[in-house]
Amino acid sequence: MIRIVFSDIDGTFLTDDKRVTARTEQAVKELLAQEIPFVLVSARMPEAIYPITDKMDVKIPLISYSGALVLTETGEKLYSLTMDATLTEAFLKTVKQDFPQATVNYYAGHHWYVEDANDPRVVFEMKITEAVAEEGSFAECLQRGICPHKILLMMEPADCERAERELQQRFLALNVVRSAPHLLEVMDASVNKASGIEIMLQHFGIGAGEALSFGDNYNDLEMLRYTGTSVAMGNAPQPVKEAAGHVTLSNEEDGLCEYLVRQQLIPAV
C-alpha cells in the first residue's frame, strides 16, 4: 500500500520548459485529497521550489538541497546539514585553481550567493527557478559562519563530467554528483535524496516500503533504490531506468500522472 509519494522536480515533475501540466497538478491534488502526502525532492533551494507549489496553490513538505534541508509544509525545519567550513574553503580553492571556467553558486539556507549576478549562467538559472541570487564573497560567508548546504558548479558538459570524477576522488567527505549534463551538485557526503526521505518518513511515521518515488537522473538513484516502489521517467538514462522498479512515460507525457492512474492510486484525470 502506498502511503506517501516523493518526486524529483526537473525532468520529472516539470516539463522541459519548466511547467507543471494541468494533469500533473490534478494528480497531486487527488493524492492530497486522499491524505497521501506528496513531497517534492530536489537539489533546488526552497525559494526555487515555492514558486511551483504556490502556482498549484498547495502547501506540501519539501526535501531541498538533495536532502541537506528538510522542511514541513509550514516551513518548519526537520533537518539541516551544512558543509564543513574548512572543507568548503579547500574545495572552493581547488575549483578556482583547476576549474576556473566554472560558475560557482553558494547556497546557504534561504540564500543563494554568487560572485557575479550578471553571469549569463546565473541569469538563466534565476529565470528557470524564479529564485534570486545575491552577490557576495564566499570567504566572507565562511568568516561569518554561514556554511553552505550546497555548492553548485555550472560548466560545459565535458568539463562537468571531468570535474565530477576528479573532485569526488579528491574530496571523499563530499558528495559530488551531476544533476544535469552541465550542473554539478556538491554537498556533505552523508547527504542524498534517500537520507532526506528517511527524515520525512520518520516525521510521518511511515515505512520506506510504503513509499513511492519518481526520478529521472543520476542524483535520484539513492532515492529510487530506497523507496519500496520506484519509478523512472521515460526520459531517464538507461542506468536510472535499470535502478528503478518501474518505468513510466516521459516528463513531457505526464509520466507521473500516468503511472498513478495506471496503478489506480488516483482516478483518471
Side-chain angles (χ1 to χ4, degrees), residues 63-261:
I63 296 175
S64 183
Y65 300 127
S66 295
L69 183 61
V70 182
L71 304 173
T72 68
E73 65 273 14
T74 60
E76 177 190 353
K77 191 183 299 180
L78 296 177
Y79 182 77
S80 175
L81 179 65
T82 57
M83 294 166 55
D84 174 79
T86 302
L87 189 59
T88 299
E89 185 177 16
F91 181 84
L92 291 171
K93 182 178 179 181
T94 298
V95 169
K96 190 170 185 178
Q97 290 176 345
D98 296 353
F99 297 94
Q101 69 273 43
T103 297
V104 182
N105 302 263
Y106 188 109
Y107 292 91
H110 297 281
H111 297 275
W112 168 20
Y113 299 104
V114 296
E115 294 177 322
D116 179 9
N118 293 314
D119 182 311
R121 292 166 172 163
V122 173
V123 172
F124 184 68
E125 186 73 5
M126 283 196 281
K127 182 179 179 182
I128 288 175
T129 64
E130 299 183 43
V132 179
E134 308 168 42
E135 287 190 355
S137 163
F138 306 149
E140 287 182 10
C141 284
L142 289 171
Q143 288 172 2
R144 290 162 53 199
I146 303 172
C147 293
H149 283 91
K150 180 186 83 168
I151 290 174
L152 173 67
L153 304 181
M154 302 168 170
M155 60 190 104
E156 293 302 309
D159 294 329
C160 199
E161 183 177 358
R162 181 171 68 87
E164 179 183 37
R165 182 175 62 255
E166 294 181 7
L167 293 172
Q168 186 62 87
Q169 288 174 351
R170 182 160 179 178
F171 294 92
L172 298 178
L174 296 176
N175 185 19
V176 182
V177 62
R178 280 174 293 164
S179 59
H182 63 292
L183 299 177
L184 195 60
E185 314 276 352
V186 184
M187 288 147 290
D188 184 270
S190 66
V191 169
N192 59 57
K193 291 186 176 182
S195 68
I197 287 175
E198 184 178 12
I199 299 294
M200 192 63 75
L201 291 175
Q202 290 172 358
H203 171 67
F204 281 107
I206 297 173
E210 300 169 296
L212 163 62
S213 65
F214 292 88
D216 78 301
N217 220 317
Y218 294 104
N219 64 337
D220 298 320
L221 286 171
E222 289 90 352
M223 171 176 72
L224 294 172
R225 290 169 177 150
Y226 180 72
T227 57
T229 306
S230 58
V231 184
M233 306 303 290
N235 48 291
Q238 191 59 33
V240 177
K241 291 179 179 177
E242 291 172 358
H246 306 270
V247 178
T248 187
L249 299 178
S250 75
N251 63 319
E252 289 289 292
E253 302 168 291
D254 289 309
L256 183 147
C257 179
E258 284 292 331
Y259 180 85
L260 294 173
V261 170

Side-chain angles (χ1 to χ4, degrees), residues 4-7 9 28 32 36-42 46 49-50 53 56 58-64 69-76 78 196 199-201 203-204:
I4 189 168
V5 178
F6 296 92
S7 176
I9 294 180
V28 172
L32 297 180
I36 297 175
F38 182 82
V39 184
L40 288 173
V41 187
S42 178
I49 303 175
Y50 287 136
T53 58
M56 293 193 295
V58 296
K59 296 289 186 184
I60 59 174
L62 306 178
I63 296 175
S64 183
L69 183 61
V70 182
L71 304 173
T72 68
E73 65 273 14
T74 60
E76 177 190 353
L78 296 177
I199 299 294
M200 192 63 75
L201 291 175
H203 171 67
F204 281 107

